[in-house]
């Protein structure tokens, strides 16, 4: 045993934007996996408040939502004694690395990002350079910690690919510097859809409140929203092409109960959509109950949250500073 090298635990990193209370999509696609991975990996999780600036949120709302998002991250069960949890803006190394990575990113590849195209269509009067550069900052978030895995929903896959391409280019030009990160995308739950238009993803910014479940929705609101979810006219609970609404409800139910699609089909054989919708709603209410209870307690304890944030920022700065120093040296910045 003496000669066995001590293996470094694989490192996991992910961030979430504090643009609104997170949805069930954010939870099932990302936050739940963050918690599951937090026991076995060396994990770093953050509030992407710098990313949120791209669409000019109201400053007071951003401040409030950022703290709420931080409290929610702890509420889903991330133990700050075992994981690093922090605010992106408290760790200056991200922005510094992002500038250097800008100089290793082609304009053409950044222009191909579908989220940039979608968001610039949505905010046609406010297409900032920040919105365009967003995926490079995201690459810096990941690469600065030498992350092995990045748990995200399917919508972030293209950004992950860009981060790998930038890392690979830098490694080729300047010598091995960055670990190439792998996306960790769950099999079920990676793309939770809107309850009103199941061809679209469930999104924090959807103006129709019936389309998404917020993690802080009270039980009666959750039940009402599921009861009004758009389905189809077949009235058979089965997973199939063209049944987007039912497929989505089955994915949600599967994530919350651990049941397979086959088990769900058997459970609801001969029953109507009404029974199924109520069962899905109840499984979500039970899943979110401890999160909501923890949130109520934590959001009332600002001193504790500030202390956790301070410790998180210190730990994240320490780790990320090592990568930044290496990169600064490799690109030729004079360091006395
Ligand atoms: P954001 O804040 O939009 O979403 C946070 C996480 O939730 C996932 N997600 C979903 N998963 C399943 N179904 C949905 N309907 C759904 N909607 C959102 C997202 O994929 C994401 O994992 N750019 C990122 C934040 C970010 C980041 C990073 C992520 C900044 N830096 C570094 C990973 C690594 C974003 O806007 O996520």
């Amino acid at each position: 045993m003496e000669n066995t090298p001590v293996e470094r635990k694989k490192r996991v990193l992910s961030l979430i934007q504090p643009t609104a209370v997170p949805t069930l999509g954010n939870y099932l696609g990302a936050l739940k996996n963050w918690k599951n991975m937090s026991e076995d990996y060396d994990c770093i999780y953050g509030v992407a408040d710098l990313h949120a600036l791209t669409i000019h949120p109201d400053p007071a709302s951003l401040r409030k939502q950022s703290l709420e998002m931080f409290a929610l991250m702890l509420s889903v069960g991330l133990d700050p004694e075992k994981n690093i949890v922090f605010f992106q803006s408290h760790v200056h190394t991200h922005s510094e690395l992002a500038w250097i990575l800008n100089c290793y990113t082609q304009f053409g590849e950044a222009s191909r990002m579908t989220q940039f195209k979608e968001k610039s269509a949505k905010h046609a009067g406010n297409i900032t350079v920040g919105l365009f550069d967003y995926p490079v900052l995201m690459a810096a978030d990941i690469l600065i910690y030498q992350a092995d895995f990045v748990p995200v929903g399917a919508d972030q896959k293209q950004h992950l690919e860009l981060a790998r391409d930038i890392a690979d280019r830098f490694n080729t030009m300047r010598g091995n510097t960055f670990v190439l990160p792998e996306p960790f995308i769950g099999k079920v739950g990676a793309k939770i859809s809107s309850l009103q238009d199941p061809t679209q993803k469930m999104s924090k910014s959807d103006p129709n409140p019936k389309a998404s479940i917020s993690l802080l929705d009270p039980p009666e609101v959750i039940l009402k929203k599921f009861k009004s979810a758009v389905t189809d006219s077949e009235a058979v609970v089965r997973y199939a092409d063209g049944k987007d609404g039912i497929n989505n409800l089955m994915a949600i139910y599967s994530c919350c109960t651990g049941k397979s699609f086959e088990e769900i089909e058997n459970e609801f054989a001969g029953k109507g959509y009404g029974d199924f919708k109520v069962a899905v709603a109840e499984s979500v209410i039970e899943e979110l109950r401890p999160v909501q209870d923890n949130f109520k307690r934590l959001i009332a304890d600002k001193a504790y949250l500030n202390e956790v944030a301070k410790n998180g920022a210190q730990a994240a700065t320490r780790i990320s500073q090592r990568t930044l120093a290496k990169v600064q040296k490799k690109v030729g910045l004079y360091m006395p």
Side-chain angles (χ1 to χ4, degrees), residues 146-172:
Q146 308 288 357
D148 299 284
F149 299 115
V150 184
V152 282
D155 62 337
Q156 296 298 320
K157 191 162 175 260
Q158 194 188 30
H159 289 161
L160 255 295
E161 281 159 10
L162 179 69
R164 279 177 69 93
D165 290 346
I166 297 171
D168 193 37
R169 178 173 305 124
F170 191 96
N171 287 350
T172 305

Side-chain angles (χ1 to χ4, degrees), residues 33-52:
N33 290 334
W34 294 13
K35 166 162 190 317
N36 291 341
M37 295 178 100
S38 71
E39 294 297 325
D40 301 326
Y41 297 92
D42 173 10
C43 297
I44 305 176
Y45 296 124
V47 175
D49 49 0
L50 293 176
H51 276 98

Side-chain angles (χ1 to χ4, degrees), residues 53-264:
L53 295 179
T54 51
I55 51 163
H56 298 168
D58 167 60
S61 309
L62 178 63
R63 238 184 315 273
K64 180 168 175 283
Q65 282 164 3
S66 297
L67 188 67
E68 286 176 359
M69 183 61 88
F70 191 69
L72 266 169
M73 282 165 45
L74 303 184
S75 305
V76 301
L78 299 178
D79 179 351
E81 299 291 325
K82 294 190 188 154
N83 306 278
I84 296 177
V85 278
F86 73 108
F87 289 77
Q88 185 186 30
S89 63
H90 299 180
V91 183
H92 65 88
T93 48
H94 292 233
S95 316
E96 288 180 60
L97 180 63
W99 173 254
I100 297 177
L101 295 184
N102 275 333
C103 303
Y104 288 78
T105 306
Q106 294 300 312
F107 189 84
E109 62 187 345
S111 311
R112 281 194 290 276
M113 295 296 109
T114 19
Q115 276 210 347
F116 170 68
K117 291 187 207 161
E118 282 167 13
K119 286 195 181 170
S120 28
K122 231 190 231 167
H123 304 276
N126 179 32
I127 307 174
T128 63
V129 174
L131 191 64
F132 181 70
D133 198 29
Y134 176 116
V136 184
L137 178 59
M138 180 166 161
D141 297 337
I142 299 167
L143 301 179
I144 204 150
Y145 296 105
Q146 308 288 357
D148 299 284
F149 299 115
V150 184
V152 282
D155 62 337
Q156 296 298 320
K157 191 162 175 260
Q158 194 188 30
H159 289 161
L160 255 295
E161 281 159 10
L162 179 69
R164 279 177 69 93
D165 290 346
I166 297 171
D168 193 37
R169 178 173 305 124
F170 191 96
N171 287 350
T172 305
M173 288 175 71
R174 301 289 170 226
N176 221 3
T177 309
F178 296 118
V179 167
L180 296 192
E182 299 277 348
F184 179 91
I185 298 178
K187 283 199 183 70
V188 184
K191 188 173 180 265
I192 299 299
S193 303
S194 151
L195 298 183
Q196 292 300 314
D197 177 0
T199 63
Q200 299 298 314
K201 80 166 181 180
M202 185 180 283
S203 161
K204 295 186 208 102
S205 57
D206 197 316
N208 180 354
K210 280 160 69 183
S212 65
I213 303 285
S214 135
L215 292 199
L216 297 178
D217 276 345
E220 61 280 9
V221 173
I222 296 178
L223 181 62
K224 213 167 153 195
K225 285 183 181 176
F226 276 109
K227 279 186 172 170
S228 71
V230 169
T231 50
D232 55 67
S233 54
E234 190 193 40
V236 179
V237 177
R238 64 183 185 102
Y239 197 93
D241 278 351
K243 286 174 69 76
D244 296 330
I246 288 296
N247 295 349
N248 188 41
L249 296 182
M250 287 178 74
I252 293 171
Y253 192 60
S254 170
C255 287
C256 293
T257 59
K259 291 177 186 169
S260 68
F261 287 164
E262 199 185 336
E263 285 170 323
I264 299 170

